[in-house]
Amino acid sequence: MATPTDTAPEMVAPKKKFHGREFYESIGSPKYILAPMVDQSEFAWRMLSRSFMPPDLQPKLLAYTPMFHARLFSQDAPKQPHNKYRDSHFQCVLPKDPSTLWLDGNPLVGDRPLFVQFCANDPQHLLAAAQKVAPYCDAVDLNLGCPQGIAKKGHYGSFLQEDQDLIYRLINTLHLNLSIPVTAKIRILETKEKTLAYAQNVLRAGASILTVHGRRREQKSHLTGIADWEYIRYLRDNLPPDTVLFANGNILEHADIEACLLATGADGVMSAEGNLSNPAIFAPEPQPGEFEDEFWRGRDGKGGWRVDAVFRRYLDILHKYVKGGEPPVRRPLFVPGKGMDTSWMQEEIIIPAKKGSKSEAVGNPNYGALQAHMFHLLRHFVSKHHDVRDALARARLGELEQFEGIYKMVEKKVAEGLIEYEGTNGKSMEDPVEEERLRKLVEEMGPTETSAAAILRCKRPWWCVQPIIRPLPKEAMAKGAIQPGKKDKKRMAEEEAAGKDGGEKRVKGVETNGGDAPVVTSAVAEDLEKQTSFQTSELVSG
């Protein structure tokens, strides 16, 4: 934690304001970008993601805060300068000593470079909010990508894309009046040409960096599908060469980052859900012999970071930076074949009861996000170990003692799984029937119509972090997990028939015209959203 001698930035002389590529180079030309995610890219998670990067690569990781609501953030409470919303979302200085740096954006603990993202529909509210964070970050980003219903209701995010004049004024107001640069994150439109005009408007308004999510607004949750990297390449080829461009979409594991850079020509690659499943996604895989206790290597040559190791790192960060104390003394992580003591595995694990009515999570985003992060990180793990899932569900937000107990449960089960794996020469994790089923799906449907190919590529044992892979829209339709209503079925049948005559390709409500991005009719999308049985991902819509 910062010491009382650490002076807050507003008391230091302002730096020169850079723009565009000059600004990008001034922050180290980062090519790894941790996405802004609603309530999910908070300080502790950013620090966890940074912790896996080698020291020489850490400046190459740029992180965004969660998306904040500009109007709520900018308004001062009667007892100025305090604001409950702001104080509970952005904790840049100690509450009792505003002259001392604390968590968000603190360069003394390594939370830079950092961009703060806002959603907004009023230029003055956006400017007022941006001015409050400017001393503690490197740039302010405007969210133009959120596709969720709450963004439609509040008129922000991707639901501003029909009002290009308002978008221009929002960005230009910051460009002209803010002491640090402004950036923006957009989604693609229905054609490459319209997307290019959109990007040109954003850049003309003064954005120093443009992030492009290669999906349309309708592509969310179960209709997410595959992001179109060709759109981003089209922008790269048609925007001024010095434009700084970040690509977002389709990043399941580390190897996808280089593939995306090569395909799109982008300067950097942003990851959201891939990072939530694996906070080490930006770090290159350790060399053999490195991190032997944290990084597991299988007999098939595949490896992955152990969930108990990641869980432990996360808890240690919360103890050290957020709680302001030392983490508990922990035993070494169990590694088979090292002759390590296993008697601890017989000990009973007791999760402490909930404390009083007020939790530490109140007013602290780092505690409040812990449970959601663990459910995402342990998604594959808890599908096998339901007792851990139930314990997570019962845990009270912010009570680290309870999560320490859950960590011990995870630690024990990982050790048991590793022992079984070694004792069976790896056969405990083999499932030839399932692998054959997935291969047949790829053969029958093609790699672009089924998620089976991605599952085969990314699958690891349950004790390793790994991506959560959604079924593609055609798969979901085939399974009956999402179904349109009668009127939409009739219309889709008519469209499909017309497509056969007109040479257009349509797949049950998802159509591709002239090689452009998938289009989902709004009526179909709304109906599917109501009837789907798949979990949504509203928390990562920033």
Side-chain angles (χ1 to χ4, degrees):
M1 192 168 79
T3 66
T5 58
D6 303 324
T7 306
E10 68 265 25
M11 303 179 70
V12 180
K15 297 180 180 179
K16 175 186 175 182
K17 181 178 178 178
F18 294 108
H19 180 74
R21 188 157 295 277
E22 186 181 22
F23 163 63
Y24 177 61
E25 292 173 351
S26 75
I27 59 171
S29 302
K31 73 172 185 175
Y32 305 111
I33 322 296
L34 196 164
M37 298 175 284
V38 179
D39 297 332
Q40 297 283 271
S41 55
E42 78 292 342
F43 169 84
W45 191 258
R46 298 194 300 266
M47 293 297 288
L48 176 64
S49 299
R50 296 182 193 278
S51 74
F52 293 96
M53 303 290 290
D56 62 320
L57 288 181
Q58 286 188 6
K60 299 296 183 182
L61 177 58
L62 162 65
Y64 285 63
T65 65
M67 181 189 75
F68 303 143
H69 192 290
R71 179 179 59 80
L72 297 177
F73 197 96
S74 64
Q75 294 175 337
D76 284 323
K79 294 182 179 180
Q80 295 186 11
H82 299 292
N83 169 306
K84 186 175 181 181
Y85 177 87
R86 185 169 66 240
D87 293 346
S88 63
H89 283 78
F90 192 71
Q91 301 177 328
C92 50
V93 295
L94 285 172
K96 295 182 179 180
D97 184 6
S99 66
T100 301
L101 298 174
W102 189 26
L103 301 177
D104 293 296
N106 188 346
L108 302 170
V109 298
D111 191 31
R112 301 292 278 270
L114 178 70
F115 289 4
V116 176
Q117 189 188 67
F118 290 104
C119 66
N121 55 29
D122 182 285
Q124 293 310 311
H125 285 152
L126 178 59
L127 177 60
Q131 287 172 333
K132 293 184 182 299
V133 302
Y136 309 99
C137 63
D138 298 285
V140 167
D141 185 78
L142 176 62
N143 180 314
L144 297 170
C146 183
Q148 303 302 338
I150 191 171
K152 182 177 183 180
K153 183 178 180 181
H155 191 53
Y156 60 81
S158 65
F159 295 94
L160 295 183
Q161 64 192 31
E162 284 79 20
D163 192 344
Q164 290 292 316
D165 177 66
L166 175 57
I167 288 174
Y168 181 93
R169 287 188 287 114
L170 286 165
I171 295 171
N172 194 244
T173 297
L174 295 195
H175 176 57
L176 296 178
N177 299 284
L178 193 63
S179 61
I180 59 175
V182 56
T183 67
K185 181 172 185 274
I186 69 172
R187 283 181 173 244
I188 62 174
L189 301 181
E190 57 267 27
T191 68
K192 293 185 176 76
E193 291 76 18
K194 288 184 178 180
T195 305
L196 176 60
Y198 185 9
Q200 289 170 332
N201 183 52
V202 168
L203 294 169
R204 194 182 306 115
S208 282
I209 296 175
L210 177 67
T211 301
V212 182
H213 187 160
R215 293 184 175 93
R216 292 189 65 216
R217 183 169 62 198
E218 293 82 3
Q219 290 180 270
K220 60 179 180 178
S221 304
H222 49 281
L223 293 174
T224 296
I226 298 174
D228 195 330
W229 286 352
E230 290 184 7
Y231 267 61
I232 304 173
R233 167 55 73 175
Y234 180 80
L235 296 181
R236 172 82 288 166
D237 293 341
N238 288 277
L239 290 171
D242 63 344
T243 301
V244 182
L245 192 64
F246 293 162
N248 181 210
N250 297 351
I251 308 302
L252 296 175
E253 54 184 5
H254 183 76
D256 295 329
I257 296 175
E258 290 301 324
C260 183
L261 288 170
L262 181 63
T264 64
D267 295 281
V269 175
M270 176 180 285
S271 174
E273 288 191 321
N275 167 261
L276 290 180
S277 298
N278 176 14
I281 193 169
F282 300 111
E285 183 175 303
Q287 295 297 314
E290 296 181 334
F291 299 98
E292 285 186 313
D293 57 339
E294 294 186 291
F295 192 88
W296 175 85
R297 297 181 187 278
R299 295 175 183 272
D300 61 356
K302 290 185 176 181
W305 292 90
R306 289 168 44 170
V307 292
D308 55 340
V310 178
F311 198 165
R312 173 185 287 199
R313 281 199 187 206
Y314 187 22
L315 289 174
D316 286 354
I317 286 170
L318 288 168
H319 281 291
K320 180 178 180 180
Y321 296 106
V322 182
K323 197 168 186 176
E326 290 300 316
V329 176
R330 308 186 191 279
R331 68 175 64 87
L333 287 167
F334 178 79
V335 180
K338 296 289 185 179
M340 302 176 73
D341 174 46
T342 58
S343 61
W344 59 272
M345 296 172 62
Q346 308 305 316
E347 298 174 2
E348 182 182 6
I349 298 173
I350 299 176
I351 297 179
K354 295 178 181 178
K355 292 182 179 179
S357 59
K358 191 172 182 179
S359 166
E360 287 183 83
V362 177
N364 195 310
N366 298 286
Y367 290 133
L370 175 55
Q371 185 182 49
H373 276 308
M374 286 300 98
F375 267 118
H376 209 111
L377 189 75
L378 299 174
R379 175 73 171 271
H380 298 279
F381 184 100
V382 299
S383 66
K384 178 178 177 63
H385 301 290
H386 296 172
D387 54 339
V388 175
R389 178 196 63 195
D390 296 341
L392 269 175
R394 290 192 300 268
R396 190 185 184 103
L397 299 184
E399 294 193 2
L400 289 186
E401 293 80 4
Q402 290 191 330
F403 285 93
E404 287 289 346
I406 296 170
Y407 163 73
K408 291 178 180 178
M409 295 175 66
V410 172
E411 181 185 37
K412 177 181 177 181
K413 292 180 185 297
V414 169
E416 292 171 345
L418 294 173
I419 290 172
E420 182 183 18
Y421 182 87
E422 293 299 323
T424 61
N425 291 318
K427 295 189 181 297
S428 63
M429 289 308 302
E430 293 179 0
D431 191 348
V433 174
E434 174 64 8
E435 289 185 8
E436 182 61 24
R437 184 188 73 83
L438 293 171
R439 290 193 180 93
K440 284 185 177 180
L441 275 176
V442 177
E443 293 174 3
E444 293 170 1
M445 300 180 68
T448 61
E449 299 289 358
T450 174
S451 58
I455 294 173
L456 285 168
R457 173 169 64 95
C458 299
K459 186 175 177 58
R460 300 290 188 273
W462 50 263
W463 56 78
C464 289
V465 296
Q466 54 195 294
I468 298 169
I469 300 172
R470 291 190 187 96
L472 295 181
K474 187 174 180 179
E475 288 180 294
M477 287 282 192
K479 292 178 180 179
I482 51 177
Q483 295 187 17
K486 292 181 180 179
K487 291 182 179 179
D488 289 316
K489 285 181 179 179
K490 181 180 179 180
R491 182 175 59 254
M492 287 188 293
E494 293 172 351
E495 289 177 346
E496 197 165 310
K500 291 177 181 178
D501 296 333
E504 295 177 348
K505 180 182 177 183
R506 291 179 173 84
V507 183
K508 294 185 178 179
V510 179
E511 59 182 86
T512 56
N513 297 326
D516 283 328
V519 177
V520 184
T521 60
S522 59
V524 174
E526 290 175 7
D527 193 66
L528 296 186
E529 187 170 355
K530 292 176 183 176
Q531 299 187 40
T532 180
S533 63
F534 287 114
Q535 291 185 338
T536 62
S537 296
E538 295 188 2
L539 290 181
V540 294
S541 60

